[in-house]
Amino acid sequence: MRAIHPYFKSNSDIFQLQVKQRQVTSRIRNYDEARYEVSIKTTGEEQCFEYLGLRSEGIILMKEIRNQEIYMLNNEQNLFGCKPYSKKEMMSIRGKMLLVNRGQCQFIDKVKYAQEAGAKSVLFLNHQQGSRRFGASSRSSSDDDDDDRVIGTIPSFMISYEDAISLLNSNRKQPIQLDISQLPSVDNDLNAIISLLYRGERIKNIVIINV
């Protein structure tokens, strides 16, 4: 697996490696993103859901996050989390996972304002349908050479557009809490089933052995 991976990674716009680990997660993983992938599960519902997220680069999830309350502002002026929160907003945010939409400013600023408001963590919602899920950079992407800020000390994650819609719909029905845990390595799982996709379609006559 490791021998052929560099080729596929350099051509990731054409080839993708999907991973099934039935004993680990109900979701299909992406081999290229596996080291950053986390399992995000809803709790407190009759029917629980699992989402697949990416933790921000440079942030290590040292232990599982359990029963994390979530909060998303109704204020349309700051759905993207790109400016400081008011004292009233801070009262609602403090101690919770803050949900903010992707876009309009750097991830590092979204986390900065969330952390200043007392959030325990941040979940970026990919609000653009069909766009690729990706992890936030740990450092500023500013062109300013002197801007060497890091993303903050609280955990932050991103989920896909489809998972974001599902999570928000679940939360509208009744308030939910989340359990978040780092998914284990794919390379160490000899039972992992790895499939090769060409432009989104699985190639059926190729078997990839994880050794």
Side-chain angles (χ1 to χ4, degrees), residues 184-197:
S185 168
V186 172
D187 292 328
N188 297 330
D189 186 358
L190 298 181
N191 295 315
I193 300 174
I194 303 174
S195 301
L196 176 63
L197 277 64

Side-chain angles (χ1 to χ4, degrees), residues 95-107:
K96 299 182 177 69
M97 168 181 275
L98 182 62
L99 276 56
V100 296
N101 283 329
R102 165 195 166 199
Q104 296 197 3
C105 66
Q106 295 187 55
F107 292 115

Side-chain angles (χ1 to χ4, degrees), residues 25 40 59 67 83 121 138 145 158 166 176 180 183 194:
T25 175
I40 302 175
I59 299 296
N67 300 320
K83 61 183 181 180
S121 54
S138 62
D145 292 336
M158 178 179 282
S166 174
I176 61 174
I180 304 175
L183 288 171
I194 303 174

Side-chain angles (χ1 to χ4, degrees), residues 126-164:
N126 197 337
H127 64 288
Q128 296 178 339
Q129 188 172 7
S131 60
R132 188 178 68 85
R133 179 195 63 171
F134 57 87
S137 172
S138 62
R139 293 191 174 273
S140 169
S141 58
S142 170
D143 292 332
D144 185 352
D145 292 336
D146 295 328
D147 189 355
D148 195 28
R149 297 171 296 158
V150 294
I151 202 165
T153 58
I154 60 174
S156 53
F157 314 92
M158 178 179 282
I159 57 175
S160 68
Y161 172 84
E162 292 76 15
D163 280 355

Side-chain angles (χ1 to χ4, degrees), residues 40-49 66-69 170-171 173-179:
I40 302 175
K41 296 180 179 178
T42 60
T43 62
E45 294 183 298
E46 291 183 3
Q47 183 179 7
C48 294
F49 296 91
R66 296 190 59 82
N67 300 320
Q68 178 71 77
E69 293 184 70
S170 295
N171 196 54
K173 296 176 183 176
Q174 68 179 80
I176 61 174
Q177 297 178 338
L178 300 177
D179 287 349

Side-chain angles (χ1 to χ4, degrees), residues 19-52:
V19 183
K20 291 183 180 179
Q21 290 177 290
R22 292 190 174 93
Q23 296 179 340
V24 173
T25 175
S26 62
R27 303 298 300 270
I28 295 177
R29 303 182 66 184
N30 182 321
Y31 185 88
D32 288 333
E33 300 171 341
R35 58 185 273 188
Y36 299 109
E37 285 180 330
V38 296
S39 169
I40 302 175
K41 296 180 179 178
T42 60
T43 62
E45 294 183 298
E46 291 183 3
Q47 183 179 7
C48 294
F49 296 91
E50 182 182 18
Y51 306 106
L52 200 62

